[in-house]
Amino acid sequence: QVQLVESGGGLVQPGGSLRLSCAASGSIFRIAAMGWYRQAPGKQRDLVAAITSGGTTNYAASVKGRFTISRDNAKNTVYLQMNSLKPEDTAVYYCNAAVVAATEGGYRDLEVWGQGTLVTVSS
């Protein structure tokens, strides 16, 4: 019913920048919070940053001041601008959204995940 498609991952040198994008599509009535999580090999998936529909943001301490989350509500898209990247930022980054989906029977609350995009920070 609802899909999230991420883009923008890749290989970057320490100190470099990347911008991730995540577009939601499908039977969307409304999107509440959107966010980015990451999972490094052998570790759990952790929140990186989140943003509400009103623009309130929340960041993990490890990325505060370096990463910026933003969203375009008209395009159902969330972005993550990552600056001053470090090797420890290497992970698969997942987009997440809390969606109110329109169905034949009415509205339904969904938590949707993207497929993940790999970010590698290495020289």
Side-chain angles (χ1 to χ4, degrees):
Q1 289 179 323
V2 178
Q3 301 83 35
L4 299 178
V5 178
E6 299 131 335
S7 60
L11 173 64
V12 64
Q13 292 186 342
S17 299
L18 280 177
R19 188 190 194 211
L20 305 183
S21 300
C22 171
S25 63
S27 302
I28 298 169
F29 173 70
R30 184 173 60 88
I31 301 178
M34 300 186 80
W36 290 94
Y37 290 70
R38 67 186 181 187
Q39 187 168 20
K43 295 189 176 181
Q44 67 181 20
R45 188 177 298 185
D46 291 323
L47 176 69
V48 175
I51 185 168
T52 67
S53 58
T56 300
T57 59
N58 180 42
Y59 294 94
S62 60
V63 306
K64 198 170 292 185
R66 300 187 297 123
F67 292 10
T68 301
I69 189 170
S70 61
R71 65 189 280 178
D72 185 331
N73 291 331
K75 296 181 179 179
N76 289 332
T77 299
V78 65
Y79 306 95
L80 185 68
Q81 178 66 44
M82 304 184 293
N83 299 327
S84 302
L85 282 160
K86 305 174 181 179
E88 51 264 42
D89 295 317
T90 295
V92 177
Y93 284 70
Y94 296 91
C95 179
N96 174 273
V99 178
V100 180
T103 71
E104 290 184 358
Y107 300 108
R108 181 182 176 189
D109 292 334
L110 298 175
E111 182 182 26
V112 187
W113 290 91
Q115 80 284 359
T117 184
L118 177 62
V119 172
T120 303
V121 185
S122 175
S123 55

